Amino acid sequence: MATILAIETSCDETAVAIVRDRQILSNIVASQIKIHQQYGGVVPEVASRQHLETINFCIEAAFQEAELDWSAIAAIAATCAPGLVGALLVGMTAGKTLAMVRNLPFLGVHHLEGHIYAAYLNEPELEPPFLCLLVSGGHTSLIRVRDGGQYEQLGATRDDAAGEAFDKVARLLGLGYPGGPAIDKIAKQGNPQAFILPEGRVSKPEGGYHPYDSSFSGLKTAMLRLVQKLEAEGEELPIADLAASFQETVARSLVKKTIACALDYELKAIVLGGGVAANSALRKHLQEAATQHNLQVYCPPLNLCTDNAAAIACAAADRFNRGETSPLTLGARSRMAVTEVAELYL
Ligand code: KG4
Ligand code: ZN
């Protein structure tokens, strides 16, 4: 059993959590969304400065909520890649400094490994092997998890990530930032069959399609053309129908690829992770399709799908229990594949 204090500052959430293996003892998330909303997206410099102002309060709050002091902590973890480097550096520097001052081991954590581990929290029976559909603002991947910490990418997006597509289409529909939750909300009042849109498929040069890869650029263009056509006809835009149809198309396309991949690789369990895992249509369709094929689905609760430090702590706890730690010389990296994650540990 390991009690880990983890810090997550890779984008626009300053998050600190204390987790004992898979049990959340505290989970503090200070969202910067309101600050970035006025710019229509995350401004990296503003994010770093905001993390710096908030981080110490979040650490204090995590101890208060857990009703613990430093004597309970076995190791400190911080997200080290991928993400905005300036933002990552704030959490990394805080984590490494505390590790030195408190004489505790330090672990850098890959942000996507955190998203995969969100499903482990409060889920004692989940164990690899499983297939993870990881859908966030920056990534869309199908990852086979063979064993704890061992990842193989089976599918990816060729252009935008799913969350990025939600954010861009939301901007097109005048729904603001972040787009995913806004589309999800208004789509509840719309008809998902109102417009037939193209599901992103990636062609092979020799013919046929890559079965597990996604593409959202065609769908995005189709949405733009549709909006332009409706505007040219002088009609008021049916925002709810447009949002519902777009969301339905993304969800169905992701579910189709995920189920095919799980069946082909004979994986009985599917784990959903990343901010877009909070999407209600995706959760519903995945659950329905999995039930049809006798597959088990693990969807983290909504607050653990988007960025948080509890999932980072949970990933770190697994590594720490296997005897892994990171050197204090570890740097922050804006890009890094989850398949390279072993490089972070001694
Ligand atoms: O995982 P996350 O919090 O940050 C990254 O690692 O990128 O994901 C953020 C993304 C944003 O693009 C946001 O629009 C999307 O997740 N998102 C959603 C929903 N909630 C958040 N997309 C669709 N439906 C949602 N309910
Ligand atoms: Zn994330």
Side-chain angles (χ1 to χ4, degrees):
M1 287 264 253
T3 304
I4 309 281
L5 173 103
I7 302 172
E8 152 66 49
T9 59
S10 67
C11 191
D12 59 349
E13 254 100 34
T14 317
V16 180
I18 300 176
V19 166
R20 187 168 292 148
D21 285 353
R22 297 184 183 191
Q23 183 197 356
I24 300 176
L25 303 178
S26 63
N27 186 22
I28 306 296
V29 182
S31 172
Q32 304 178 3
I33 282 176
K34 286 221 151 50
I35 296 164
H36 297 288
Q37 251 162 2
Q38 58 189 307
Y39 307 106
V42 178
V43 183
E45 256 318 303
V46 175
S48 313
R49 202 163 310 161
Q50 200 58 34
H51 286 311
L52 206 54
E53 283 182 16
T54 321
I55 186 78
N56 286 338
F57 296 108
C58 292
I59 294 170
E60 246 178 73
F63 276 111
Q64 264 178 23
E65 192 175 285
E67 297 182 6
L68 292 174
D69 61 25
W70 278 102
S71 65
I73 305 299
I76 298 177
T79 307
C80 61
L84 304 169
V85 167
L88 286 167
L89 279 174
V90 177
M92 286 274 280
T93 308
K96 288 199 271 187
T97 308
L98 287 168
M100 277 174 80
V101 171
R102 298 283 166 184
N103 206 16
L104 289 169
F106 173 77
L107 293 99
V109 176
H110 194 285
H111 183 75
L112 298 190
E113 188 167 54
H115 278 308
I116 296 170
Y117 270 80
Y120 283 83
L121 289 161
N122 303 326
E123 202 57 81
E125 81 270 25
L126 173 60
E127 293 298 340
F130 56 78
L131 179 67
C132 178
L133 171 63
L134 208 157
V135 274
S136 70
H139 294 84
T140 298
S141 315
L142 279 166
I143 296 167
R144 167 153 68 159
V145 182
R146 291 162 175 275
D147 211 340
Q150 288 177 34
Y151 308 111
E152 183 189 354
Q153 184 162 299
L154 301 176
T157 174
R158 296 300 176 102
D159 35 63
D160 286 0
E164 210 175 345
F166 268 97
D167 292 336
K168 288 180 180 166
V169 167
R171 198 172 310 156
L172 174 72
L173 301 179
L175 294 172
Y177 176 85
I183 288 189
D184 202 347
K185 189 168 170 216
I186 200 158
K188 291 194 172 34
Q189 293 145 39
N191 171 9
Q193 263 76 49
F195 300 102
I196 305 302
L197 296 160
E199 280 180 22
R201 290 202 286 186
V202 182
S203 309
K204 285 182 179 170
E206 67 274 22
Y209 298 97
H210 289 282
Y212 318 131
D213 286 347
S214 303
S215 163
F216 296 104
S217 62
L219 174 58
K220 238 175 32 189
T221 310
M223 286 296 291
L224 176 65
R225 299 260 181 279
L226 181 57
V227 166
Q228 286 171 337
K229 179 175 155 276
L230 292 168
E231 278 175 346
E233 287 164 3
E235 287 184 33
E236 197 187 323
L237 284 182
I239 302 289
D241 285 349
L242 287 165
S245 303
F246 166 76
Q247 174 174 281
E248 183 77 2
T249 309
V250 174
R252 283 197 185 279
S253 146
L254 288 172
V255 168
K256 210 181 280 177
K257 284 159 193 159
T258 307
I259 297 289
C261 189
L263 295 174
D264 290 350
Y265 282 84
E266 295 181 354
L267 295 162
K268 291 269 161 234
I270 297 170
V271 159
L272 196 52
V276 182
N279 186 263
S280 58
L282 178 59
R283 293 167 84 93
K284 181 172 151 266
H285 290 312
L286 185 61
Q287 193 65 63
E288 282 170 5
T291 308
Q292 265 178 23
H293 291 91
N294 247 338
L295 304 169
Q296 177 88 26
V297 178
Y298 294 87
C299 293
L302 298 189
N303 68 320
L304 298 177
C305 291
T306 42
D307 290 349
N308 67 87
I312 300 297
C314 188
D318 214 11
R319 295 209 170 259
F320 187 69
N321 285 332
R322 289 200 299 267
E324 296 179 18
T325 57
S326 303
L328 283 176
T329 49
L330 189 74
R333 282 165 66 175
S334 62
R335 298 171 75 91
M336 183 183 186
V338 72
T339 45
E340 299 168 340
V341 69
E343 288 173 21
L344 303 175
Y345 304 99
L346 295 166

